[in-house]
Amino acid sequence: MPHQPTPADPPEEPLPEVADWLRRRSWPASARPPAALVEAKRAAGAAGTVSVVLPALDEESTVGEIVRVIRRELVERLPLVDEIVVVDSGSADRTAETAAAAGARVVHRDDVLPRLPAAPGKGEVLWRSLLVTSGEIVCFIDADLREFDPAFVSGIVGPLLTDPSVQLVKAMYDRPLETEGGAVVPAGGGRVTELVARPLLNLHWPQLAGFVQPLGGEYAARRSLLERLPFPTGYGVELGLLVDALDLVGLDALAQVDVGVRHHRHQDGQALGRMAATIYRTALERLDRTDRLKAGPDLVHPLLTQFTRDPVTRDFTAHTHPVGALERPPMVTLPEYRRPG
């Protein structure tokens, strides 16, 4: 009978390839001093141009401070960033006005590639951003971060400026869960990562097991890589890009940088459920595409039913949501896309 692990068993070591990657491709943000980054950017010329993209939907309370910090610290004080672009996906608040006042160029999602009606979702915004940015390095930053540290940008663009073999860099960080009552659970954030994404990656793409925050929204990559990748339009975009980048350029071209602590707004349990379902379906699409998993089409039911209790009647009401699988093709295949320069 096979041995069943018990709590007393020592933890297994990661795959040798992953352990080696962790030693060579994981760094603290402090590993590259600001002066070294500026010199590397200057030496790289056009290849070192950096665009920062913030996808935003109703982020009036946070987007302005993020833009101000990036502009003050990484445009004016330390000349690392060449443009800050906020792509607004239909905000009902003053996200666009706040971002513009703070110094960003604001682009409205529906004004980009108007021949193609926009799909809802973060991935759609990131994909379209490649049409309205000019940097050879593109850095994505979520617009709901609080207590924003410029290392979220400088840390993850650093390896791309200093090492031509690196193609994509993810931020890694602590992610505390801040409850409504004010309590803080130090490592309580990232629930979808721990319950869905990490098991999927470890089981099916074990080379990616070393990523601390595989679903994190803060990452930078070379345009020459991003333009060749398909973009899931919804919550599956981070997992999809990571898996596809592994297949296209290999593990050694991927890296991660420790930028400290990430403070942001947390979503409720049902929103997390919808996110988890979309991520799972994104993984299934890739498993099927690469013949890693064979499953009949009838085994994938692209709907997620959730329940809420009526506070008056105490009855449960079912709410069913589609689990999207729409993906946009690699940007380089579009006739509208022209490489900068």
Side-chain angles (χ1 to χ4, degrees):
M1 181 176 179
H3 170 67
Q4 297 298 314
T6 70
D9 288 333
E12 296 285 344
E13 293 293 325
L15 292 174
E17 182 179 7
V18 173
D20 179 63
W21 178 85
L22 281 167
R23 286 191 296 270
R24 296 183 302 101
R25 290 304 203 208
S26 297
W27 305 284
S30 60
R32 292 170 176 81
L37 295 183
V38 172
E39 179 56 35
K41 176 181 173 67
R42 185 179 299 114
T49 52
V50 177
S51 298
V52 175
V53 173
L54 283 77
L57 177 63
D58 296 328
E59 303 294 356
E60 175 186 357
S61 65
T62 51
V63 69
E65 180 62 14
I66 297 172
V67 171
R68 277 190 291 274
V69 170
I70 296 173
R71 176 160 291 283
R72 182 183 68 239
E73 299 296 328
L74 302 178
V75 175
E76 297 167 357
R77 190 183 70 82
L78 195 70
L80 280 183
V81 171
D82 298 280
E83 63 176 349
I84 308 169
V85 179
V86 171
V87 185
D88 184 81
S89 55
S91 296
D93 64 4
R94 291 179 53 80
T95 290
E97 295 88 341
T98 302
R105 176 162 60 91
V106 177
V107 178
H108 295 278
R109 177 198 63 189
D110 295 349
D111 293 337
V112 183
L113 198 64
R115 71 167 176 84
L116 184 66
K122 175 185 176 183
E124 178 82 352
V125 175
L126 300 184
W127 181 71
R128 289 177 187 251
S129 75
L130 297 180
L131 286 162
V132 294
T133 51
S134 59
E136 288 297 324
I137 295 171
V138 182
C139 176
F140 298 126
I141 300 291
D142 281 349
D144 66 341
L145 302 189
R146 294 181 287 105
E147 302 177 38
F148 182 75
D149 189 323
F152 273 75
V153 175
S154 59
I156 58 177
V157 303
L160 295 163
L161 289 171
T162 58
D163 188 339
S165 70
V166 175
Q167 295 284 311
L168 183 148
V169 182
K170 297 279 291 190
M172 57 176 168
Y173 37 72
D174 295 319
R175 195 172 179 181
L177 175 63
E178 300 165 12
T179 68
E180 291 184 2
V184 176
V185 182
R191 290 161 287 175
V192 175
T193 293
E194 299 304 329
L195 297 175
V196 180
R198 199 176 307 286
L200 282 170
L201 292 174
N202 277 261
L203 289 169
H204 299 293
W205 295 278
Q207 287 179 296
L208 298 175
F211 277 95
V212 175
Q213 297 291 351
L215 298 185
E218 291 71 43
Y219 49 103
R222 299 192 190 280
R223 177 179 293 270
S224 57
L225 171 63
L226 293 172
E227 67 189 9
R228 292 183 288 155
L229 297 175
F231 275 62
T233 56
Y235 286 127
V237 62
E238 272 81 32
L239 182 138
L241 290 178
L242 194 58
V243 167
D244 292 344
L246 174 69
D247 287 343
L248 190 61
V249 296
L251 180 62
D252 207 51
L254 313 180
Q256 60 185 350
V257 170
D258 187 349
V259 297
V261 181
R262 185 185 198 265
H263 299 278
H264 67 112
R265 182 184 68 252
H266 294 281
Q267 301 196 56
D268 62 37
Q270 295 212 344
L272 294 177
R274 294 190 291 275
M275 181 185 299
T278 304
I279 289 165
Y280 179 58
R281 189 170 182 198
T282 299
L284 284 180
E285 294 289 332
R286 277 150 182 77
L287 290 169
D288 181 64
R289 183 185 306 163
T290 57
D291 294 326
R292 284 184 171 92
L293 184 69
K294 291 294 186 181
D298 59 317
L299 297 182
V300 178
H301 184 63
L303 296 172
L304 174 68
T305 299
Q306 298 175 312
F307 295 88
T308 57
R309 189 192 292 275
D310 187 287
V312 177
T313 68
R314 306 300 295 165
D315 294 331
F316 282 105
T317 301
H319 306 275
T320 299
H321 308 272
V323 179
L326 177 64
E327 297 197 9
R328 296 305 190 188
M331 185 58 74
V332 74
T333 66
L334 265 65
E336 291 92 343
Y337 180 66
R338 296 290 182 272
R339 295 202 89 256

